[in-house]
Amino acid sequence: MIIQWFPGHMTKAFRLMEKEIKLVDAIIYVLDSRAPFSCVNPKFPSLIGDKPIIYVFSKVDMADRSKVDEWINGYFKKDNTRCIVLNSTASGSGKKVENAIIDVCKPKIDKMQAKGIKATLRAMVIGVPNCGKSTLINNLCGKAKTVTGNKPGVTKGKQWVRIASGIELLDMPGTLWPAFDNTQVAKNLAYIGSIREEVLDIPELALDFIGDMRQIDQVKLEQRYNITISEEDSNLEVIERICESRKYLLRGGDYDYDRCCSSIISDFKKGLLGCITLEKFADIKKLMKKDRKEKTDV
């Protein structure tokens, strides 16, 4: 399945980032804990440069914490970074992020303090669409200062907000990249809701999701839909079994594939299948490998 989605406002967002990056002291990089590696935008490193990064692993209440910890310790934790795991919607969870901003900006604070000046700290909040950026900012502010939604592309322009400690945050639009070199990364982003459903073939996506979940945690599928899956079953047969279990049927008894497939993807996005992280750190080489053949065929 070939997935591409790069609306015009994302091009503008990159230009905005290039313009505003020099004004900030740190980067808050929000990652969806269900697919942290897939949320890493390959265009961001050159943009960020040597700015300190605070990785915020959002939606951890919907993810496999042990897998998230493996990613943090094996890939994200470096000298110039901080890693914070939190449920962005939990009251007071943003305090960890606030403290991390102060920590990474301590050299600036000390320098300004020596001059008798209280430093104003500024951080840019970045990430893929629908990763939880705006929800995190609202938590930090203690009230709704940004627009949130469960669809990608809600934030279209930059938004400066000031939190109680005097720290200023620049909320940037969720941004993908012009071309996906890795098919699995694109699918993972589609599963977690970072790509608009209007540009996706949902039945095909659901078939792929069933296949991936059979490798990740088949039991969660069986428990959610009250079915039994054998090795001999095709992914389509699994979907038909879910249709039967959930009574997703058309007149005449035919399977309502569209309704069933939409429900499967929706259930995952809502966390109804349980705590799942789609990626294992042990598979990083596979995830980093570029699918050149598919790119050539396009």
Side-chain angles (χ1 to χ4, degrees), residues 104-122:
V104 300
C105 293
K106 193 172 186 308
K108 177 181 178 178
I109 294 172
D110 292 343
K111 182 179 179 181
M112 299 301 286
Q113 200 170 45
K115 297 179 180 179
I117 303 171
K118 184 178 179 180
T120 297
L121 307 180
R122 297 184 178 89

Side-chain angles (χ1 to χ4, degrees), residues 32 34 59 128-133 149-153 174 192-194:
D32 190 317
R34 296 170 297 174
K59 307 182 185 181
V128 299
N130 202 36
C131 66
K133 293 185 295 84
N150 60 1
K151 289 186 177 181
I192 65 175
S194 292

Side-chain angles (χ1 to χ4, degrees), residues 5-281:
W5 183 55
F6 192 73
H9 76 269
M10 291 189 184
T11 300
K12 294 179 182 178
F14 274 117
R15 291 173 184 161
L16 268 176
M17 287 181 195
E18 289 173 343
K19 179 182 177 183
E20 304 289 344
I21 194 79
K22 60 181 178 290
L23 301 177
V24 303
D25 306 297
I27 303 296
I28 300 174
Y29 202 145
V30 184
L31 308 167
D32 190 317
S33 296
R34 296 170 297 174
F37 180 83
S38 293
C39 290
V40 175
N41 191 324
K43 289 182 69 70
F44 282 167
S46 60
L47 189 72
I48 295 171
D50 60 357
K51 301 271 185 185
I53 301 172
I54 301 164
Y55 288 111
V56 176
F57 294 79
S58 69
K59 307 182 185 181
V60 72
D61 50 307
M62 303 167 72
D64 183 331
R65 179 58 190 267
S66 63
K67 286 186 179 179
V68 174
D69 287 342
E70 287 177 2
W71 275 108
I72 289 173
N73 294 321
Y75 186 78
F76 291 98
K77 188 177 285 186
K78 299 173 184 175
D79 290 341
N80 202 34
T81 69
R82 301 291 186 280
C83 295
I84 297 172
V85 178
L86 52 77
N87 173 2
S88 300
T89 60
S91 178
S93 62
K95 188 66 178 177
K96 295 179 183 177
V97 180
E98 184 179 331
N99 291 338
I101 295 171
I102 295 171
D103 183 32
V104 300
C105 293
K106 193 172 186 308
K108 177 181 178 178
I109 294 172
D110 292 343
K111 182 179 179 181
M112 299 301 286
Q113 200 170 45
K115 297 179 180 179
I117 303 171
K118 184 178 179 180
T120 297
L121 307 180
R122 297 184 178 89
M124 179 184 287
V125 187
I126 62 175
V128 299
N130 202 36
C131 66
K133 293 185 295 84
S134 296
T135 301
L136 172 63
I137 291 175
N138 289 339
N139 193 298
L140 281 161
C141 294
K143 55 185 175 179
K145 288 219 175 177
T146 64
V147 180
T148 63
N150 60 1
K151 289 186 177 181
V154 173
T155 304
K156 294 293 180 66
K158 69 175 184 179
Q159 300 181 75
W160 278 104
V161 295
R162 190 178 181 88
I163 62 179
S165 58
I167 297 171
E168 296 179 357
L169 303 176
L170 177 56
D171 182 22
M172 299 300 296
T175 312
L176 295 173
W177 43 107
F180 294 116
D181 292 325
N182 187 291
T183 307
Q184 190 61 51
V185 165
K187 289 192 295 184
N188 289 345
L189 290 170
Y191 298 153
I192 65 175
S194 292
I195 299 175
R196 279 196 180 276
E197 287 194 357
E198 290 81 357
V199 304
L200 299 169
D201 184 329
I202 297 300
E204 187 175 352
L205 186 68
L207 278 170
D208 287 341
F209 178 74
I210 292 294
D212 288 338
M213 276 301 300
R214 292 176 74 176
Q215 299 296 317
I216 296 167
D217 194 338
Q218 180 173 295
V219 173
K220 283 186 167 62
L221 285 176
E222 294 176 323
Q223 290 176 339
R224 172 62 184 169
Y225 300 112
N226 194 27
I227 60 173
T228 301
I229 304 171
S230 70
E231 288 186 12
E232 293 74 25
D233 291 330
S234 68
N235 295 335
L236 180 59
E237 287 173 326
V238 173
I239 286 180
E240 290 174 347
R241 203 153 295 160
I242 295 172
C243 285
E244 293 169 354
S245 176
R246 288 303 177 94
K247 309 300 182 190
Y248 292 146
L249 303 172
L250 300 169
R251 286 184 180 179
D254 291 337
Y255 297 125
D256 191 342
Y257 290 108
D258 288 342
R259 184 184 176 194
C260 183
C261 292
S262 293
S263 178
I264 291 167
I265 298 300
S266 176
D267 284 353
F268 173 71
K269 289 179 181 178
K270 293 175 180 177
L272 298 179
L273 274 72
C275 296
I276 298 166
T277 294
L278 299 165
E279 306 157 336
K280 290 193 299 184
F281 178 67

